[in-house]
């Protein structure tokens, strides 16, 4: 009886390990696509999609609130986000809203647009703050003539306070453009969109744009004054 139970436990353990293996292999490794001016861009395949997702990383000397203010500023469409033609809030509040985004594309490819849910959350312990974005199945704003609505879009901005007083930024997204788009254009978007956007963000921070921004729902890390 004891021997039978032992064999059963071994078999059960093997089954659990075998079933768990796919969970660890589902996320492919990131590949570096670009590293320049303190910005790193990585891409990786996405299961069930021909479009890779991108991840941009950099560090800036800015508060969490300043970065949020830059991300949500309506002027960010032309000053921050690469190839953005329109960015507007359709409804909601500062922390959670429905947003319309239209991005330009090189001729003869149509511009793309999307209506997405945009929300913020902050970890109470680490103070890491995340702006999540996900496509909404909404007709709150119709796609203009000659513009293709993206069937899928999901991403986030993660703002991570560092011990040196700076903030680490991670900008990750995956999209399905819909329609016909040459692979050369897609490859360009995967690197240029995060790189140029983060480069613009660093420039705006250096200019002091929204430096005094404050949000009552955001807690900033306490920095020790220099001796």
């Amino acid at each position: 009886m004891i021997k039978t139970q032992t064999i059963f436990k071994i078999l059960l353990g093997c089954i659990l390990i075998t079933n768990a293996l796919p969970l660890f292999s589902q996320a492919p490794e990131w590949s570096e696509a670009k590293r320049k001016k303190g910005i790193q861009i990585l891409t990786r395949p996405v299961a069930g999609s021909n479009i890779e997702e991108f991840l941009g990383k950099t560090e800036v000397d800015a508060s969490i609130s300043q970065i949020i203010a830059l991300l949500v500023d309506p002027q960010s469409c032309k000053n921050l986000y690469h190839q953005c033609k329109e960015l507007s809030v359709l409804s909601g509040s500062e922390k959670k809203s429905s947003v319309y985004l239209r991005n330009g594309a090189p001729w003869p490819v149509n511009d793309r647009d999307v209506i997405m849910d945009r929300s913020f959350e902050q970890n109470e312990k680490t103070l890491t703050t995340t702006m999540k974005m996900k496509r909404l199945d909404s007709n709150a704003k119709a796609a203009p003539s000659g513009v293709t609505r993206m069937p899928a879009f999901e991403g986030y901005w993660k703002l991570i306070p560092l011990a040196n007083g700076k903030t680490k930024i991670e900008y990750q997204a995956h999209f399905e453009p819909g329609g016909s788009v040459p692979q050369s254009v897609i490859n360009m978007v995967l690197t240029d969109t995060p790189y140029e956007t983060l480069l613009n963000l660093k420039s705006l921070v250096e200019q002091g744009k929204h430096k005094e921004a404050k949000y009552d729902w955001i807690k900033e890390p306490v920095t020790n004054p220099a001796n």
Side-chain angles (χ1 to χ4, degrees), residues 16-151:
L16 291 174
I17 292 173
T18 303
N19 289 339
L21 286 176
L23 298 177
F24 293 101
S25 61
Q26 283 177 357
E29 292 291 329
W30 290 100
S31 298
E32 184 174 88
K34 189 170 188 175
R35 184 191 290 265
K36 189 177 180 182
K37 296 185 178 181
I39 299 170
Q40 182 187 25
I41 306 300
L42 305 106
T43 61
R44 69 178 178 184
V46 175
S49 174
N50 293 324
I51 311 295
E52 293 186 321
E53 63 179 329
F54 66 72
L55 171 62
K57 297 181 179 183
T58 193
E59 293 181 13
V60 294
D61 188 6
S63 67
I64 297 172
S65 295
Q66 181 182 6
I67 299 170
I68 290 176
L70 290 170
L71 295 178
V72 302
D73 185 348
Q75 294 300 314
S76 292
C77 180
K78 61 180 181 180
N79 296 331
L80 173 59
Y81 297 109
H82 183 58
Q83 295 288 3
C84 179
K85 286 191 173 181
E86 183 178 348
L87 176 66
S88 57
V89 177
L90 303 178
S91 62
S93 61
E94 285 183 337
K95 289 187 67 175
K96 185 174 176 61
S97 55
S98 173
V99 179
Y100 174 80
L101 173 68
R102 175 179 173 179
N103 270 16
W107 187 88
V109 179
N110 287 345
D111 288 357
R112 258 55 182 180
D113 74 352
V114 65
I115 295 176
M116 58 185 179
D117 175 79
R118 184 177 71 188
S119 61
F120 288 90
E121 62 181 35
Q122 184 176 45
N123 184 291
E124 294 182 0
K125 293 183 178 180
T126 66
L127 302 187
T128 293
T129 304
T130 306
M131 184 178 86
K132 296 181 178 180
M133 307 165 290
K134 188 171 184 178
R135 178 188 179 276
L136 286 174
D137 187 11
S138 168
N139 294 316
K141 183 178 176 68
S145 176
V147 176
T148 300
R149 180 141 296 175
M150 290 189 284

Side-chain angles (χ1 to χ4, degrees), residues 123-215:
N123 184 291
E124 294 182 0
K125 293 183 178 180
T126 66
L127 302 187
T128 293
T129 304
T130 306
M131 184 178 86
K132 296 181 178 180
M133 307 165 290
K134 188 171 184 178
R135 178 188 179 276
L136 286 174
D137 187 11
S138 168
N139 294 316
K141 183 178 176 68
S145 176
V147 176
T148 300
R149 180 141 296 175
M150 290 189 284
F153 178 88
E154 188 169 3
Y156 70 78
W157 284 79
K158 185 174 290 186
L159 316 178
I160 308 165
L162 301 176
N164 59 6
K166 295 186 177 183
T167 301
K168 180 180 179 180
I169 299 176
E170 294 183 357
Y171 172 30
Q172 181 175 339
H174 175 256
F175 62 91
E176 294 291 344
S180 177
V181 181
Q183 189 61 44
S184 59
V185 173
I186 292 175
N187 292 340
M188 180 176 64
V189 169
L190 289 176
T191 54
D192 286 3
T193 295
Y195 178 77
E196 296 295 338
T197 298
L198 289 174
L199 190 63
N200 291 338
L201 178 61
K202 290 170 74 74
S203 176
L204 291 170
V205 165
E206 290 173 359
Q207 296 170 27
K209 185 74 170 177
H210 293 308
K211 188 174 183 178
E212 306 303 322
K214 301 291 181 186
Y215 295 93

